[in-house]
Amino acid sequence: MSRIVKFILFLGFFIFFFEAGLISSYTIVTSEPPDVGKLIDMQINRLMAIFDIREDVTSALTQPPEALNITNTNQVGQELQSKSQLDGIDLNTLNITTYADRSNEPFLVNITAMGYKEDVSGGNSSGGQIVITPSSDFMVKATAMAKYRSQGLEIDILTIKIISIGRIYNQAVNPN
């Protein structure tokens, strides 16, 4: 047999045994009969998503994000504060950017802002005093959907999703 026929047979057997293993493991894990059509459709959708995302990644890597101004800054700050469970968000550091095509609405925006949380710790146990130390700074990163309204660009606060909250450590320099 030629090498091409052997390769095609090998590939066919590989796919067959892979699918058989997927179906049997689905049955073992869920204790339900598998829906073969849904499993194959899910695999095809995942493979297609890999090829579709390639174009977005390439465009994101070749151009800088666009900085945007929004009309509902206070509402976005309050929603970030509420969802991140911080004591406050510095609206002066609120930054809205996007890589998305703004002609297709709604479009995805990235939100970054500095937040703070007051550190409250108990003092000595006999005095019962509370000592408030300087605030801890945090970087909040989130995504949301935005649309143009008559007043300007507005973020839909119901679509805000927190991606990460990171503590920023300020290290004091020891003069000794």
Side-chain angles (χ1 to χ4, degrees):
M1 277 202 230
S2 73
R3 290 181 183 216
I4 296 173
V5 174
K6 287 180 183 178
F7 179 74
I8 291 173
L9 282 174
F10 174 75
L11 192 61
F13 282 124
F14 179 78
I15 291 172
F16 174 76
F17 284 111
F18 177 80
E19 293 298 325
L22 181 70
I23 291 168
S24 63
S25 65
Y26 182 87
T27 303
I28 292 170
V29 170
T30 63
S31 300
E32 296 176 4
D35 185 355
V36 177
K38 276 187 179 179
L39 285 173
I40 292 173
D41 190 42
M42 177 200 62
Q43 292 174 32
I44 291 171
N45 287 339
R46 297 292 170 134
L47 286 174
M48 295 303 287
I50 290 171
F51 295 114
D52 288 344
I53 198 167
R54 190 178 237 181
E55 186 175 307
D56 293 337
V57 169
T58 304
S59 67
L61 292 175
T62 58
Q63 60 184 344
E66 296 180 54
L68 305 171
N69 294 322
I70 59 171
T71 58
N72 58 342
T73 306
N74 291 333
Q75 292 90 354
V76 170
Q78 289 172 350
E79 192 67 19
L80 285 174
Q81 178 180 342
S82 141
K83 288 189 175 185
S84 65
Q85 298 179 351
L86 295 175
D87 293 334
I89 297 290
D90 184 1
L91 295 180
N92 294 327
T93 63
L94 189 66
N95 188 16
I96 312 296
T97 58
T98 187
Y99 288 104
D101 180 12
R102 294 188 294 166
S103 62
N104 298 331
E105 290 189 358
F107 57 91
L108 185 69
V109 294
N110 300 317
I111 305 168
T112 57
M114 297 291 292
Y116 65 90
K117 188 170 191 91
E118 294 295 332
D119 291 331
V120 179
S121 58
N124 59 21
S125 58
S126 61
Q129 67 187 21
I130 295 176
V131 177
I132 299 178
T133 59
S135 64
S136 298
D137 291 331
F138 293 86
M139 174 64 78
V140 179
K141 294 182 180 182
T143 60
M145 301 304 285
K147 275 187 177 181
Y148 283 102
R149 304 279 185 207
S150 59
Q151 314 89 300
L153 184 65
E154 184 176 295
I155 291 181
D156 181 5
I157 60 170
L158 298 176
T159 62
I160 293 177
K161 292 186 176 108
I162 302 293
I163 302 298
S164 69
I165 302 171
R167 177 175 264 176
I168 299 172
Y169 292 99
N170 295 327
Q171 294 181 340
V173 176
N174 188 357
N176 295 336

